[in-house]
Amino acid sequence: METNLIVHVDSSFVIVNKPAGLLTIQDGYEKNKIHLNLIIKEQFPEIMTVHRLDKETSGLMVFARNEQSHRFLNSQFESRNVIKKYWVICHNIPEWHEYLAQFPLLVNGDRKHRTIVSPRGKYSETTFLRIDSDTSKNISLVEARPHSGYTHQIRAHLSHLGHSIVGDNLYNKGLSREQQNSNLVADRMKLHAYYLEFIHPETNQRISFSTEIPFSLN
């Protein structure tokens, strides 16, 4: 197993920095595809999955090492007591410096299996902060903090706002042909889970982990 994937290990959990392009768990259709869970189990056969990241998304994940920790961490994710922050490079330059997206999301809502904003969906929230922009490229660096945890939530919210993520070929609504072409040649989708904060299952203290951003506006 690649040792640079491991960020932290203790008796309760393992923190991993997942690379882009790697599945979190076994694919339902192509069961022989390599996935992160399988890789981590080579060193920690007891680990249990607590949450997921999209295949195209990189960043921090926590895996539980025993049943008690698994229940404790699952409870925090379900009660939205976990703080997650993401770095994003998106198309176009938002007029806002900070924006609270509050839209009902319907998972698997269209023929392309996208999560869409729909009155039939479930209430969701994501806070966005514009950190920097490049007017010559018409792209922006944004921090995203989801307060709910639906599939493709950040991708769907940004697409709905007219700021699809660079390198995201699924959520590309409203992009120009030039922007769509730039997505096709991008080396990856520019979405990275850089910060994770939760209560430790043993100490009951809040702890946090962070990584450097693996991409830039340049």
Side-chain angles (χ1 to χ4, degrees), residues 108-115 152 169-172:
N108 197 21
D110 65 10
R111 291 182 179 179
K112 292 188 176 182
H113 305 290
R114 287 177 292 206
T115 296
H152 297 179
N169 292 300
L170 183 60
Y171 293 85
N172 54 11

Side-chain angles (χ1 to χ4, degrees), residues 29-47:
Y29 297 98
E30 300 181 66
K31 298 186 183 297
N32 293 327
K33 270 192 173 182
I34 193 73
H35 53 88
L36 182 62
N37 191 287
L38 185 65
I39 294 172
I40 302 302
K41 281 192 173 184
E42 291 178 1
Q43 185 171 343
F44 305 98
E46 74 280 6
I47 61 105

Side-chain angles (χ1 to χ4, degrees), residues 21-112:
L22 181 64
L23 291 163
T24 298
I25 61 173
Q26 186 181 61
D27 185 85
Y29 297 98
E30 300 181 66
K31 298 186 183 297
N32 293 327
K33 270 192 173 182
I34 193 73
H35 53 88
L36 182 62
N37 191 287
L38 185 65
I39 294 172
I40 302 302
K41 281 192 173 184
E42 291 178 1
Q43 185 171 343
F44 305 98
E46 74 280 6
I47 61 105
M48 290 167 274
T49 304
V50 176
H51 63 123
R52 304 178 191 180
L53 289 177
D54 296 343
K55 177 184 176 182
E56 298 87 357
T57 305
S58 60
L60 294 175
M61 294 186 62
V62 57
F63 290 86
R65 297 193 65 187
N66 55 66
E67 289 282 358
Q68 182 178 354
S69 295
H70 191 238
R71 287 193 299 269
F72 190 87
L73 292 168
N74 270 341
S75 175
Q76 289 187 71
F77 274 89
E78 290 171 2
S79 62
R80 300 176 183 175
N81 199 29
V82 176
I83 297 175
K84 298 172 287 182
K85 298 179 184 179
Y86 293 72
W87 287 121
V88 184
I89 294 180
C90 65
H91 290 287
N92 304 319
I93 299 174
E95 297 179 354
W96 38 262
H97 290 280
E98 181 174 354
Y99 184 88
L100 178 61
Q102 298 174 297
F103 304 118
L105 291 181
L106 181 63
V107 177
N108 197 21
D110 65 10
R111 291 182 179 179
K112 292 188 176 182

Side-chain angles (χ1 to χ4, degrees), residues 155-170:
R155 298 166 69 182
H157 276 175
L158 282 173
S159 179
H160 183 72
L161 292 170
H163 301 290
S164 296
I165 299 172
V166 172
D168 189 349
N169 292 300
L170 183 60

